[in-house]
Every structure is written in C-alpha cells, then in structure tokens.
Amino acid sequence: PGELTIFTGRTGQGKTTVVSQMSLDLACNDVHTLWGSFEVKNEQLATKMLQQHSQKNLKGCTDEEFDAAADAFEALPLWFLTYYGSTKLDSILDAMEYAAYAYDVRHIVLDNLQFMSGGLGGRGGDMFALLDESIHALRMFASDKGVHITLIAHPRKEDDGKLLQISSIFGSGKVTQESDNVVILQDNGVYRYLDIKKNRFDGTLGIVP
C-alpha cells in the first residue's frame, strides 16, 4: 500500500493482459481493485478479464457454464471507471478518492499515462510538464490514501532489437523518479518476461519468466 508502480512494454506485447491478470489475482485475494481503462473500452476489458478469471475458453460453452463464470467474476471486489479516452486528471482523482472511501479500494490500475494526461491540455505547459504533474499527483494520492497504484505507460519509440530500459519510458525522469517500482515487459525474441528495474522497498531486482 502507498506505492506507485510503473509498468511498461512495447505496443502489442500484452501490457494490459499481464496487468489485468495480476489485478485479478489480487482481487481473488480480496484486494479491492479499481480499473481506469482509457485506451480499451470497459466492455472489451471485462470480456478479457472474464476469460482470464474463468481459466477456460468460454467460446462455445453452455449457458450454464457461462452463467457460472459470469457470477464468479461479478462477485470479485472489482470496479471500473467509466471514463474513456483523454480525461481530466482532476476527474480521475475525484473518482479514485470516492472509490477508496466508499468501496475500500486498495489497488488502482490506470491504463495509460498518456491518455490520462491528455486531459491536462490547455494549461499552458508542454507535454513533459503535464506528465510530471500527473505523476506527482498520483504519487501524493498513493501516499495519502494508502493505496497501490499501477500505472501503465508507453515507452519511447526505440529500435525493436533493443531491450527496454528505465530511460525508455516516455516522459521526463520524474516519471520513474517518483515511482516506487518499475516493471518492464520484455521480449528478447525467444520469450517474454517481466524485468524488475526498480524496487524501492528492498532493492531486489531481477526477471520473472
């Protein structure tokens, strides 16, 4: 609780899929979770998560099997923000605060930083300054409310043949400086794995195949 995790990876490699599975694992252990999906519509995300939670292919299943899977999924302590696309940061923070108070939410997933920060446009700052403002606000929210925030961020455009580094994350250095953890979904051409690049709590780094 009280931490900010940055999760990144190249486009199309499965960032949302991995984070949704991790959030499901936490929800199954009664960690109340709020999803803010600004790039993927809630209907699509919920369909993916229902499939993941059921741990079986629901295509072609019987009505009884689908109903059982849906009932089990519905019982999870899991909520979704209704925002989609470019959204004002203040609106997101207000909804997060209400969820933390009303539903005792302790894990918040935001997908992704670029869409969320788009709502800051028009304040006269450049994009990096707007991203910094978002990161600082989320950092303060996590600390003040005692919730864990997992923030998905896109990397900069780099050579596909190179592994991503902390410096690959889009934005200024403040994005990773303010975070407690940085996790990168890597693809070495043979298999994909999680690369723990920052761990403020105890400093343990490494990979998870």
Side-chain angles (χ1 to χ4, degrees):
E3 291 189 332
L4 173 63
T5 295
I6 302 295
F7 192 98
T8 192
R10 295 188 187 279
T11 300
Q13 288 190 344
K15 295 187 295 297
T16 301
T17 299
V18 172
V19 174
S20 66
Q21 183 61 60
M22 291 192 296
S23 69
L24 280 171
D25 291 343
L26 289 170
C28 286
N29 284 280
D30 203 34
V31 177
H32 293 206
T33 299
L34 175 69
W35 257 91
S37 179
F38 310 106
E39 188 171 11
V40 178
K41 291 185 177 181
N42 284 339
E43 293 84 355
Q44 295 173 276
L45 177 62
T47 299
K48 177 195 291 288
M49 295 179 74
L50 171 62
Q51 186 81 32
Q52 289 175 303
H53 183 250
S54 68
Q55 297 184 1
K56 61 183 178 181
N57 189 354
L58 294 176
K59 292 182 179 180
C61 68
T62 65
D63 290 344
E64 290 77 11
E65 289 174 327
F66 182 85
D67 288 345
D71 289 344
F73 181 72
E74 187 178 8
L76 293 175
L78 185 62
W79 293 267
F80 297 87
L81 294 178
T82 57
Y83 302 118
Y84 177 73
S86 181
T87 306
K88 292 182 179 180
L89 177 63
D90 291 343
S91 299
I92 298 168
L93 291 172
D94 286 345
M96 289 166 51
E97 183 170 10
Y98 178 79
Y101 171 77
Y103 304 118
D104 195 27
V105 162
R106 286 294 170 260
H107 180 218
I108 298 174
V109 182
L110 299 173
D111 184 11
N112 63 61
L113 174 61
Q114 283 79 353
F115 272 83
M116 187 184 64
S117 300
L120 291 169
R123 295 191 184 180
D126 61 28
M127 177 54 71
F128 286 169
L130 298 177
L131 290 172
D132 288 350
E133 183 180 342
S134 297
I135 289 294
H136 180 69
L138 293 173
R139 162 76 273 165
M140 295 301 295
F141 185 95
S143 299
D144 292 345
K145 304 300 181 183
V147 303
H148 192 116
I149 297 176
T150 300
L151 177 61
I152 298 176
H154 286 313
R156 306 174 190 271
K157 291 184 178 180
E158 296 187 350
D159 186 343
D160 288 341
K162 295 181 179 179
L163 294 177
L164 298 176
Q165 304 297 328
I166 284 184
S167 60
S168 304
I169 297 174
F170 184 82
S172 73
K174 190 178 183 69
V175 173
T176 52
Q177 289 169 2
E178 291 254 23
S179 67
D180 297 287
N181 312 291
V182 176
V183 182
I184 301 177
L185 179 59
Q186 302 276 26
D187 187 341
N188 63 8
V190 179
Y191 59 89
R192 296 175 184 174
Y193 59 93
L194 299 181
D195 190 357
I196 316 307
K197 288 294 189 183
K198 182 178 181 181
N199 177 357
R200 181 169 284 161
F201 179 69
D202 68 3
T204 302
L205 306 178
I207 66 171
V208 181

